[in-house]
Amino acid sequence: MAEGIVVADIDDVPEGEGIKIDAAVTGTVDDIAVFNDDGEFFALDDTCSHEKASLSEGWLENGVVECPLHAGKFCLKDGAVMSMPATEDVACHRVIIDGSQLRVVPNPARLA
Ligand code: FES
């Protein structure tokens, strides 16, 4: 059996944008944001660690997502917080490209 959960087609995630995958699909405690940064795909918990904004609606630049609400920044590779007002990391999840599909392997620490 292939690893991970199919969450979208590659074409569903436009370059420079993110989409939100419902936690019911991934079996995680938070929805998951899947991002396409210059053709590389990343997945983080969708809810910003500062307040409740959806990171899938944030802005991407150079491997970083900027929260749409107060502009806190997180590294797409590992969810590390990179700027105030956010002070806590967000969890990251593994993304596998499987043909034209994207699979997410949920971070075990974030399973519901
Ligand atoms: S909610 Fe994301 S920085 Fe405030």
Side-chain angles (χ1 to χ4, degrees), residues 48 50-53 55 67 69-72 74 85-86:
C48 181
H50 178 235
E51 285 182 7
K52 296 290 174 204
L55 292 178
C67 177
L69 196 52
H70 310 114
F74 301 90

Side-chain angles (χ1 to χ4, degrees), residues 3 18 28 55:
E3 199 179 8
T28 46
L55 292 178

Side-chain angles (χ1 to χ4, degrees), residues 45-108:
D45 271 9
D46 186 55
T47 306
C48 181
S49 62
H50 178 235
E51 285 182 7
K52 296 290 174 204
S54 172
L55 292 178
S56 64
E57 294 171 13
W59 290 275
L60 302 186
E61 198 173 330
N62 298 328
V64 172
V65 57
E66 181 179 305
C67 177
L69 196 52
H70 310 114
K73 293 181 183 169
F74 301 90
C75 174
L76 290 171
K77 278 196 169 75
D78 61 8
V81 65
M82 300 182 74
S83 101
M84 298 281 276
T87 56
E88 287 178 36
D89 300 346
V90 293
C92 70
H93 308 270
R94 195 152 62 89
V95 179
I96 297 170
I97 297 173
D98 182 6
S100 64
Q101 295 183 316
L102 296 173
R103 293 178 176 274
V104 166
V105 182
N107 183 328

